[in-house]
Amino acid sequence: IYNGDFMRFKIKKCNVCIDYVFIFVLSIMAIFNSKQMLLLLLFSALHETGHLVALLFCKSFPNEIKFSYYGLAVKYDDDLPILKECIVLISGPTVNLILYLVFKNEINLILFSLNMLPVYPLDFGRVVRLFSLKASKILSIITLVFICILCSYLIFYKKVYSLLFVTVYLVIYSINYD
């Protein structure tokens, strides 16, 4: 079913949404044989699978699985007890850590490290927010300032731009949704 920019269908009670831009980007990656981008997509999918498996282990079910240009996401009701919510949130980065230790692929180390930053909406930022909204905001600001300084250093002195997109996304998200 076409609905806006997404193809939507259901698997049992779970909505599955696939952004057409996601399909376009995936096609471009395949055409140009972008191994690193395909690995990023694969390891991101395995990260989300970690969340999904933990969610099912906690006897809860996803409402939506979304494939979009910014990645994959498993969405579910926020009524889990705190311990189960923490298990679900930490399971994604744990998958990336295990994959890094097994395959020594830097993409997994980056995904693990990024998601363990105490910045909302990242996984560990969500864990911190479960315990204290005030601490979450303070840690997010401190971490974002540090990331901005690091990003500026990398751009001006090392000509490395890879952290720029993540930094811009996190800052904009924090300004708009926090």
Side-chain angles (χ1 to χ4, degrees):
I1 298 170
Y2 176 74
N3 187 350
D5 293 333
F6 289 93
M7 177 174 53
R8 298 178 188 273
F9 57 93
K10 281 188 175 244
I11 299 176
K12 295 194 178 195
K13 294 180 181 180
C14 179
N15 291 314
V16 178
C17 304
I18 303 173
D19 187 338
Y20 288 110
V21 175
F22 172 81
I23 295 170
F24 175 74
V25 169
L26 189 60
S27 300
I28 295 297
M29 287 188 305
I31 290 169
F32 291 105
N33 196 19
S34 178
K35 182 181 176 186
Q36 291 297 89
M37 290 302 291
L38 289 171
L39 285 174
L40 176 62
L41 183 64
L42 171 65
F43 295 137
S44 295
L46 291 172
H47 172 103
E48 293 302 325
T49 301
H51 290 307
L52 181 59
V53 168
L55 186 65
L56 295 172
F57 178 77
C58 291
K59 300 198 182 342
S60 191
F61 301 95
N63 297 331
E64 182 177 76
I65 300 173
K66 192 178 219 176
F67 299 80
S68 68
Y69 61 90
Y70 59 86
L72 308 166
V74 175
K75 297 183 179 188
Y76 54 94
D77 289 332
D78 293 328
D79 60 354
L80 289 174
I82 288 180
L83 178 61
K84 287 184 177 183
E85 182 76 20
C86 287
I87 290 169
V88 171
L89 290 169
I90 296 302
S91 62
T94 301
V95 167
N96 293 119
L97 179 60
I98 292 167
L99 289 169
Y100 172 72
L101 294 172
V102 171
F103 296 111
K104 304 294 186 225
N105 185 293
E106 289 179 356
I107 293 172
N108 282 302
L109 183 59
I110 291 167
L111 288 171
F112 169 76
S113 300
L114 182 66
N115 278 287
M116 291 307 291
L117 291 173
V119 177
Y120 186 83
L122 301 174
D123 293 331
F124 192 68
R126 290 176 185 267
V127 169
V128 173
R129 185 170 266 206
L130 287 173
F131 294 97
S132 171
L133 182 59
K134 185 176 181 179
S136 172
K137 288 181 179 187
I138 292 168
L139 281 172
S140 284
I141 290 169
I142 292 169
T143 305
L144 286 171
V145 167
F146 174 75
I147 291 172
C148 287
I149 292 167
L150 177 61
C151 184
S152 298
Y153 171 79
L154 289 172
I155 289 170
F156 293 117
Y157 294 104
K158 302 291 183 180
K159 304 298 184 222
V160 175
Y161 299 92
S162 55
L163 190 58
L164 179 62
F165 298 112
V166 172
T167 303
V168 169
Y169 169 77
L170 290 174
V171 168
I172 290 172
Y173 193 96
S174 292
I175 289 169
N176 287 328
Y177 299 103
D178 205 18

